[in-house]
Amino acid sequence: MEALELLGLGKNFGPQKAVDDLSLVVPQGSFFGLLGPNGAGKTTSLSMAVGLLRPDTGTAKIFGVDVWAEPVRAKGLVGVLPDGLGMPERLTGREVLTYLGLLRGLPADEVAARTTELLEVLELDDEDGKQVIGYSTGMRKKLGLAVALLHAPRLLVLDEPFEAVDPVSAATIRTILNRFIAGGGSVVMSSHVMALVEQLCDRVAVVADGKVVASGTVFEVQAGGSLEDAFVSLVGASTRGAEGLTWLSV
Amino acid sequence: MAVGLTYATADTLVRMRLAALRHSLRDKNRVAWVAGGAFLGLVLAGATIWAAAGADANLVAVAVTVWALGWIVGPLFAGGGDETLKPEYFTMLPLPPRALSGGLLAAALAGFAPAVSFVALLSLVVVGGQLSVGALLIALPAVVLQLVSFVLASRLAVAIYGVLLQVRAGAVLAALVNAFILAFTAQGWALIAAFISTDVQGTVADAARIAPSGWGLAAVESAGHGDWLQTVLALAGLALLNGLMFLAWSALLVRRTTATRSGVRVRRALTATDAGGAAGAKEVRSWTRDLLYGHRAVFAISYGLFFCLMPLAVGWKAMLPWAGAAAVVMGGAMFSNLYGADGTALWMTVMTPGATRLDVRARQRAFLLVFGPPALLITLLLTWWSGISSAWPLVLSTLPALLGGAAGLIMLSSVYSAVPTTDAHKRSGNPLNSGENEGETMGLVYVMLVLISLAAAPALLAALAWAWWGIPVGLASGVLTWWYFGRLAARRLERRGPELLTLLRHGRQPGQQAAASSLSAKLAQLPQWRRTLAGLCLGFGAIPLIPQAVVPAIFKLNHVDAKAWFLALYTAPAWQWPVIAGMALLGLGMYAFGGLTYYRASKLSVESPQADPLEDADSGRSVAA
């Protein structure tokens, strides 16, 4: 059984096609990187994959459970870190985790133990009295990751988990994710950092204009060169900046 | 200060503002709100000019004061007033603060609300024209100065809220002041009659001329009487006041754009041990830690108190028992956009299996916890103090009906008619500002004031007919509305949670607009006059029904002598009941017409709406992956 299947997902915003008949398979135990230029439809696809945005066409399955037919069962199996969404701003980080753990039906002492451990590992425990509204962007990301991990799901769907995170925390998160994979979990993450994707992921898909333009193992997609070169040629863009802008030099 | 730079900044910012306005008007829902607001504003502006044409300068003075108060208190209801151009956008520009605030002021003048107020202020020109040519000429600078003073007073008020709402005591203070001002506009006559003069209208008119909002009119009138010294003084005073407000506002803008926001320190950590408890604990913490929540709650409760206590100044106790009820109605109206206010944090509820029902019920519990005990206490104490024993069954019947009704209706409106706001962590330094939907936010408050009041109708009628038997009716209606509306809201959220999240995340989009409110698409097939009339009937049906029929009926039954603005009580005794009945019929008829129009529209079939290609650019903006 696959960890995550996207089956012909489509979404229009007005007349604009944000995602167009997008299908992907994430095998169990794989660390899957989703790449694409800005506006390619990555966030939209991931939102539809986990049940945050209703697709116009197609559906998604998490461990075989249809996200849009049996949302409650599917949502129990996945941990999600969305990009840029709000949180209960008036709670502290510890309270957010406690609140969500209890809502997920975990016993109170288990929630307390997991919360303490997550805050400690992600180095959020120094600022225990701080409300989320006062968190920096990086701290919000780390708390979001803690939220995704809290109920020990078998699949993680992470939208830009390393954005705005400092290098030390990034190393911690890499270690956590690698251990998660080693323990039989599966991860899907979107990222713009090619080096990170090359280092962490075993499979990647490149999305452009709402469609998958390449998918496979990192080795396959690289096609002999670097992932960055492959990416640039796949999305059909040429890097600019070499000509024009003469007024920038004195 | 370089005048040229200020002018250039103003020119650019005005163009930015107008461009933003143009884009926002592609949203049909927004157009409807803007058009409704502009229509209402123009009616009021027309009434002001009509008063001027009738040569009733006293009335003009009072009307202009009410316009000024609207500018000052309005932002509280309208989500912080218009902030299309946030000062934060421009902090990194190498501009002197006053050139920037000068530009922002000019941009603030380029909008619908200033335009409508400008029309209202043309009443000064009408007054001047009736006096002399000199007065007519003086009216022109007077109108401009007065309009600038409105906009500046509004911006300054928002800036002061911004400072006050950073500390708990400030939030409470701002709430008390706002509640007093708003209650005073309705009930201030009693204070004036008791402490200043029995000639209430004359005193109000005099005060309205002495207040800065009346200086423009004072200048025009003194020019008409040939008192040029006073004319110059009034205009110079207005100009000076504008200058001072501008300096204060500039200073506060600098403070706003350089201050940090971290939230108050946490007092009591979350200690719940089960899912229901956790949902409730989270909600209660929003109320105690978010100063804007606290501010609104204190505002609602103190408004109810002030509104019913002020007539005490003339020894009139009949309103005392209703203070608790008024607080609940205002409270419900202030908290009718709970999911909109929390923004995209909704994703956590959507992603957590089984959390929606718990969340809806927890929000209801928190509302009842915040408003229930104070409202009950106020009702018991003030009814006892009033000594009106016949009021006991009435208030004890309506209070539970109102509490339950409000707890149910706020969830319904929060889920079904959520108004998207800017997420808390992306907001500007204006704590009242929550997005670009100020008209819709304000409209929701008005609609909820009416709907929550109506929730008390069965209990009130039962209590009027059978006295103490009203209490079980009130309890039953309260429990029923709390439970049933909460259930409806929870079900809707369970099924359409992702759609609500999309709305809160991206705002309204043309495609979803049609889908989310296919009723509006169906309504669009009716003739324009019928839609407008139905909207007006639903909007204003409460006026004949509640203040012109229900309230005077209660007054008559309780042998209250006050006439206030109740038309029926000014007629000969024999005509009073017929007028009340007529008003009640008019109000019910208006609701019936409006309701039937909407009902019939809902039965129409609708062709799939054509997407407007113009809206492409706007919708694409927020879709970026």
Side-chain angles (χ1 to χ4, degrees), chain A residues 13 16 41-43 47 50 53-54 75 80 82 84-88 90-92 95 99-100 102 104 129 131 140, chain B residues 264 266 269-270 272 275 278 282 289 344-345 347-348 350-351 353 423 425-426 495 499 502 505 509 620 623 625:
Chain A
F13 290 105
Q16 186 199 352
K42 299 187 297 291
T43 295
S47 298
V50 298
L53 176 69
R54 199 182 302 275
K75 286 169 187 175
V80 178
L85 294 192
M87 297 212 182
R90 296 293 158 187
L91 300 187
T92 65
E95 288 172 337
Y99 159 70
L100 283 168
L102 292 174
R104 289 217 177 238
Q131 295 179 25
R140 294 180 80 93
Chain B
V264 290
V266 171
L270 195 143
K282 185 256 281 163
R289 290 179 191 171
T344 55
W347 78 269
M348 288 191 168
V350 171
M351 279 312 294
D423 267 2
H425 66 286
K426 293 176 184 164
R495 288 183 195 152
E499 279 74 9
T502 306
R505 196 172 185 178
Q509 313 228 343
V623 178

Side-chain angles (χ1 to χ4, degrees), chain B residues 135-491:
Chain B
L136 181 71
L137 290 177
I138 287 297
L140 302 175
V143 167
V144 173
L145 285 173
Q146 201 74 68
L147 183 65
V148 172
S149 81
F150 284 1
V151 174
L152 270 173
S154 185
R155 295 288 146 144
L156 185 60
V158 168
I160 292 173
Y161 292 139
V163 176
L164 287 177
L165 287 185
Q166 283 169 359
V167 286
R168 206 177 284 269
V172 171
L173 178 72
L176 291 175
V177 170
N178 275 324
F180 188 86
I181 292 178
L182 202 69
F184 188 85
T185 53
Q187 305 282 45
W189 56 271
L191 293 186
I192 294 164
F195 300 113
I196 301 170
S197 156
T198 46
D199 175 18
V200 175
Q201 288 177 356
T203 313
V204 169
D206 288 346
R209 280 199 180 78
I210 294 168
S213 56
W215 292 356
L217 179 66
V220 173
E221 284 183 321
S222 17
H225 305 143
D227 184 351
W228 294 102
L229 177 66
Q230 201 174 328
T231 305
V232 171
L233 279 178
L235 286 184
L238 203 49
L240 182 69
L241 180 75
N242 283 350
L244 290 176
M245 288 199 291
F246 179 72
L247 292 182
W249 178 54
S250 297
L252 287 173
L253 274 188
V254 172
R255 188 194 141 104
R256 161 177 165 177
T257 46
T258 51
T260 57
R261 291 166 289 147
S262 53
V264 290
R265 205 172 324 115
V266 171
R267 286 188 183 171
R268 221 167 56 82
L270 195 143
T271 50
T273 52
D274 65 349
K282 185 256 281 163
E283 195 53 25
V284 167
R285 272 157 190 75
S286 291
W287 287 78
T288 52
R289 290 179 191 171
D290 188 334
L291 291 182
L292 190 54
Y293 266 65
H295 168 79
R296 288 189 175 144
V298 173
F299 168 81
I301 293 172
S302 46
Y303 174 79
L305 276 174
F306 287 142
F307 187 78
C308 298
L309 280 172
M310 279 182 189
L312 207 60
V314 288
W316 188 43
K317 289 184 165 179
M319 290 202 74
L320 287 178
W322 299 98
V328 174
V329 172
M330 184 55 88
M334 298 298 293
F335 291 96
S336 45
N337 189 28
L338 292 168
Y339 287 109
D342 283 359
T344 55
L346 177 66
W347 78 269
M348 288 191 168
T349 311
V350 171
M351 279 312 294
T352 310
T356 32
R357 199 184 56 80
L358 291 173
D359 194 65
V360 167
R361 292 301 184 198
R363 285 171 191 269
Q364 290 188 308
R365 273 208 305 283
F367 178 84
L368 291 174
L369 201 65
V370 169
F371 285 100
L376 185 64
L377 193 70
I378 289 170
T379 303
L380 292 178
L381 280 177
L382 294 193
T383 309
W384 169 75
W385 185 21
S386 76
I388 305 171
S389 54
S390 60
W392 281 110
L394 296 182
V395 291
L396 291 182
S397 310
T398 47
L399 193 62
L402 281 175
L403 279 168
L409 284 166
I410 56 169
M411 293 324 298
L412 270 193
S413 70
S414 294
V415 173
Y416 278 86
S417 55
V419 183
T421 66
T422 311
D423 267 2
H425 66 286
K426 293 176 184 164
R427 275 182 205 163
S428 64
N430 172 359
L432 292 178
N433 184 260
S434 48
E436 293 168 9
N437 297 301
E438 63 277 354
E440 206 173 333
T441 311
M442 201 157 191
L444 191 60
V445 171
Y446 285 134
V447 171
M448 288 296 283
L449 285 174
V450 175
L451 289 180
I452 296 172
S453 307
L454 284 178
L460 185 65
L461 291 176
L464 283 171
W466 310 304
W468 293 101
W469 284 105
I471 294 180
V473 175
L475 281 171
S477 102
V479 170
L480 194 71
T481 44
W482 159 81
W483 171 79
Y484 184 66
F485 289 163
R487 198 170 99 121
L488 279 183
R491 282 197 170 176

